[in-house]
Amino acid sequence: MARWKLSRRTFLQTSSGAAAAFAIGAPAVHAQTPVLKTTAWGGKWGEVLKGQVIPAFEKEFKCKVETDSAFPYYPKLQATPKNAPLYDVLHTNTSEQWQAVVEGLVEPKLSAKDIPNLNDVYAYAVSDKICGVSAFTSAIGFGYRTDKGLAEPKSWKDLADPKHAGARGSYIIPVNSLGQMHLMMLGKIYGKGLTDLDAAYKALEQLKPIKMYDFTGGMEKALLSAEVNIGVLHDSGIYRYDGQNQPIAFAAPSEGVLSLEQVWNITPGTKMRELANQYINYILSPDVQKTLCEAVWYSPSNKKVKLGANYDAKLYNTEAKVAQLIQVDWKWYNERKDDIDARVTRILRG
Amino acid sequence: MSRRFDAGHAAYLTLNGAIVAFLLLPIAVVIIFALNPTPYIAFPPVGVTLRWFVKFFTSAEFMNALWLSLRVAMIVVALSTVIGALCALGIARGNLPGTRLLTTLFLSPLMLPAILTGLALFQVFMLAGIGRPVWGLVVGHTLVAVPYVLRTTLAVLQNFDRRVEEAAAMLGAPPARVFFEVTLPLIRPGVIAGGIFAFIVSFDQLPISLFLVIPNGETLPVVLLNYIRYDLDGAIAAASMVSIVLALTAVLLLERIIGLRAYVRL
């Protein structure tokens, strides 16, 4: 009988192989299952999307959905061949979608023939300011402290009130789309319109001293801790603390609220076109819209969604309410972004 | 007899105390945030709670990410210590031409911004049709971990008395035995120190992971960054505490098992 001999080489080969298998784990192979590649936010969004919505979609359409939650998505998509894109469906904010559409990385428009639920969305969700479809939106206005004796802000001009000096907040404009939209809104309020940059720069100068944040999460915490008394924020950033007895509230300025859209779109080179259409149609379906809206306090795009009473009272879910949403021209903004970044950095540094 | 006041010594102690405080203060802030019930950083703390630790340890997303980060870091330690130590030996002993150039080349991943390394690797993988497998993430992390092992091993090799090896060889030990029984034990502190760095570099790696992270599976730093964007609360501090405790445990275990103090002045 041959005796098995353990040499150092055999031992190293076996143990390293076993260690690698243990550490990495053998990937499951589902050769027959179609795979849809998409992006997904983190936080509560990702929790509900990946925990409830996607598993239900996978079950119904007998597929696998691979999500990427590690932004930035746009440069990754840019780095992959157009005929073999990294994603089949791209979910981002509107500004990134416009960057992608200019380079032909996503579709300019989606068709209701392929995605029937597009027939039921509000006009803003597929307007000329949107490529793809805005499936959800939140309204950007002000978050403010209710325990500081402040009157509810009524106008965008209220942010410049001298009593808020050093206790007002906005965003680092080069990196945050809320900050970019606020800059455009300053042009509308103090000048000729959303594209009046000279007026916007002048108004921004008047807001100093102002605390700038990179993420909306940072602004929320700054409000909660009273680091700022008033700040530019979207409604879901306030409503998510509903029922927690926090001294903060959302105020919608009378001039209108900015629309922070969550846009879904399809890459032209996808090999999963039908599944991509089905996925977006699923996201737009009333049940899924209701689930996500009530989880993250975003307003639905589908007119047929029936929200619970508390959500119905606050979110933008009627024709009259969505008429208050102001959409910005991201294509215009992106073309000037470098110059704007340089200018606002100089203003805020000085 | 009363000791005389030594102003120089007092200044020395004060300066050292200030440096230690400067280094440890961020950790103190993390501890306060992690144990404070408020969902934002508040000082003074309003109470003590373990709710953020409960949230962290009961979150499937955090736990999956923690487990993935640990697994990747373990493989990176194994790979980078082998590669880094062999490269160091080759550079120090190989009588190779252009050793300075080689050293610079091996250390170059540290000179490039990691985000560029991540993007470059991502593009290579995509163009080669490889996609984003776990081993791609391991390769990316190993690339930036190897220079640490190389550097620490080279430092040990510089003070290495080669006569010990020559004596072993003269006494009849074959080269392999000389390596495993003489060379390896003597360079072990450098390799181990490099391995610790490699673990930390991999476990905390963000820029490279952003590009190479596998679909449906993010490493802990990526998940934490996403979390900060949307749900900044004490769970982040709890996760940071877990990372700190893990790193401390690794160092203390190594000290207990192999006696780091004998090699490295801690």
Side-chain angles (χ1 to χ4, degrees):
Chain A
M1 193 175 83
R3 193 173 162 218
W4 186 70
K5 200 176 165 186
L6 180 68
S7 66
R8 188 194 302 271
R9 184 180 297 271
T10 313
F11 172 75
L12 285 173
Q13 284 173 341
T14 311
S15 55
S16 58
F22 157 74
I24 294 179
V29 178
H30 304 282
Q32 309 302 318
T33 310
V35 176
L36 185 81
K37 293 170 290 180
T38 186
T39 54
W41 296 134
K44 187 76 175 171
W45 261 103
E47 194 183 307
V48 178
L49 195 72
K50 290 185 262 186
Q52 296 178 41
V53 176
I54 288 177
F57 176 78
E58 288 175 329
K59 196 174 170 191
E60 188 174 335
F61 291 90
K62 295 179 177 49
C63 66
K64 181 87 187 146
V65 178
E66 282 186 356
T67 54
D68 184 352
S69 298
F71 64 93
Y73 307 128
Y74 168 62
K76 288 189 197 174
L77 188 58
Q78 235 181 349
T80 53
K82 282 184 184 173
N83 61 356
L86 184 62
Y87 310 120
D88 302 298
V89 172
L90 182 70
H91 163 208
T92 65
N93 289 136
T94 324
S95 59
E96 277 185 299
Q97 293 281 350
W98 275 106
Q99 285 178 300
V101 82
V102 165
E103 291 194 26
L105 299 174
V106 292
E107 298 287 4
K109 288 287 166 194
L110 300 174
S111 166
K113 276 194 295 184
D114 303 320
I115 304 171
N117 282 329
L118 282 175
N119 290 314
D120 297 327
V121 301
Y122 293 107
Y124 81 85
V126 287
S127 74
D128 61 351
K129 302 290 192 300
I130 299 286
C131 44
V133 57
S134 166
F136 304 91
T137 192
S138 57
I140 301 170
F142 290 128
Y144 70 102
R145 297 278 304 191
T146 53
D147 60 345
K148 300 288 180 185
L150 303 172
E152 180 183 341
K154 301 284 184 199
S155 164
W156 285 99
K157 288 182 179 175
D158 290 348
L159 189 65
D161 190 322
K163 69 172 175 280
H164 298 313
R168 60 173 80 97
S170 187
Y171 299 91
I172 299 170
I173 292 170
V175 300
N176 188 293
S177 55
L178 276 82
Q180 293 159 11
M181 281 192 272
H182 180 227
L183 182 74
M184 285 187 265
M185 180 53 94
L186 291 175
K188 180 178 165 66
I189 298 297
Y190 293 98
K192 295 173 191 149
L194 290 165
T195 57
D196 188 346
L197 286 173
D198 288 335
Y201 294 142
K202 207 171 157 189
L204 187 65
E205 185 86 47
Q206 300 306 311
L207 288 176
K208 293 196 301 185
I210 183 168
K211 290 179 175 161
M212 308 299 267
Y213 299 88
D214 42 9
F215 302 136
T216 51
M219 180 68 80
E220 288 170 31
K221 300 307 163 188
L223 273 167
L224 286 170
S225 62
E227 190 177 310
V228 295
N229 292 334
I230 181 170
V232 176
L233 192 58
H234 59 151
D235 55 356
S236 72
I238 295 291
Y239 294 148
R240 60 191 303 195
Y241 299 99
D242 192 66
Q244 294 182 27
N245 204 25
Q246 297 288 355
I248 53 173
F250 178 74
S254 58
E255 299 93 341
V257 287
L258 289 156
S259 176
L260 180 63
E261 302 104 352
Q262 299 297 320
V263 180
W264 267 258
N265 207 342
I266 295 175
T267 51
T270 176
K271 308 285 190 292
M272 293 287 161
R273 168 72 65 167
E274 195 181 336
L275 196 57
N277 287 331
Q278 286 165 335
Y279 180 64
I280 294 179
N281 200 52
Y282 191 76
I283 293 291
L284 291 172
S285 64
D287 287 347
V288 172
Q289 291 255 298
K290 180 178 164 67
T291 301
L292 271 163
C293 286
E294 294 187 353
V296 294
W297 286 93
Y298 265 65
S299 300
S301 291
N302 192 317
K303 295 181 221 174
K304 293 181 175 174
V305 178
K306 301 284 179 223
L307 296 172
N310 192 25
Y311 303 93
D312 188 54
K314 294 186 170 98
L315 296 178
Y316 288 72
N317 61 338
T318 65
E319 291 288 2
K321 286 183 187 176
V322 301
Q324 299 170 50
L325 296 172
I326 296 171
Q327 293 182 294
V328 301
D329 186 345
W330 282 109
K331 185 171 182 292
W332 176 89
Y333 188 91
N334 289 343
E335 285 166 359
R336 292 156 182 79
K337 187 174 183 306
D338 290 345
D339 292 339
I340 295 171
D341 289 352
R343 183 72 183 270
V344 297
T345 304
R346 274 204 307 276
I347 290 171
L348 293 170
R349 193 194 296 144
Chain B
M1 192 179 83
S2 63
R3 292 178 64 186
R4 283 184 60 198
F5 175 73
D6 184 341
H9 189 65
Y12 171 78
L13 287 179
T14 307
L15 181 64
N16 276 286
I19 292 170
V20 169
F22 173 72
L23 292 173
L24 294 184
L25 200 61
I27 297 176
V29 172
V30 169
I31 295 170
I32 291 169
F33 191 21
L35 296 173
N36 197 354
T38 60
Y40 49 86
I41 298 173
F43 197 85
V46 296
V48 176
T49 181
L50 292 177
R51 65 185 278 207
W52 305 121
F53 288 93
V54 172
K55 187 173 183 180
F56 176 76
F57 283 112
T58 53
S59 158
E61 193 174 17
F62 278 136
M63 285 302 101
N64 290 338
L66 176 65
W67 182 226
L68 177 66
S69 287
L70 282 172
R71 286 183 297 171
V72 169
M74 284 193 297
I75 303 175
V76 169
V77 168
L79 288 174
S80 58
T81 48
V82 171
I83 297 169
L86 290 177
C87 289
L89 280 167
I91 288 169
R93 301 283 182 76
N95 293 324
L96 302 169
T99 48
R100 275 178 186 275
L101 182 70
L102 273 176
T103 309
T104 309
L105 199 67
F106 280 118
L107 295 178
S108 61
L110 292 186
M111 297 168 197
L112 271 178
I115 197 119
L116 291 184
T117 308
L119 178 61
L121 279 171
F122 174 77
Q123 283 183 312
V124 168
F125 289 163
M126 287 301 140
L127 290 173
I130 292 167
R132 291 182 294 170
V134 181
W135 63 260
L137 186 65
V138 170
V139 167
H141 285 202
T142 305
L143 196 68
V144 287
V146 162
Y148 290 93
V149 183
L150 181 77
R151 200 69 242 180
T152 51
T153 310
L154 275 176
V156 173
L157 281 168
Q158 273 177 353
N159 300 318
F160 193 101
D161 188 351
R162 292 206 67 176
R163 287 175 300 182
V164 185
E165 284 176 329
E166 287 163 10
M170 284 169 65
L171 290 169
R177 193 169 176 197
V178 172
F179 176 75
F180 282 106
E181 294 187 11
V182 178
T183 313
L184 198 55
L186 287 171
I187 64 169
R188 193 168 63 172
V191 177
I192 288 172
I196 294 172
F197 280 125
F199 180 85
I200 294 166
V201 164
S202 171
F203 191 72
D204 288 342
Q205 186 56 241
L206 177 68
I208 288 179
S209 299
L210 280 177
F211 285 96
L212 300 182
V213 76
I214 55 171
N216 290 348
E218 285 89 33
T219 55
L220 190 60
V222 174
V223 169
L224 291 179
L225 181 63
N226 266 331
Y227 195 82
I228 286 173
R229 278 191 93 185
Y230 308 102
D231 296 294
L232 178 60
D233 62 27
I236 291 291
S240 305
M241 281 297 298
V242 171
S243 295
I244 292 166
V245 169
L246 270 174
L248 270 177
T249 307
V251 172
L252 291 174
L253 272 177
L254 283 169
E255 156 64 14
R256 206 81 174 130
I257 295 167
I258 61 162
L260 272 182
R261 203 172 302 178
Y263 303 109
V264 185
R265 292 192 182 278
L266 292 173

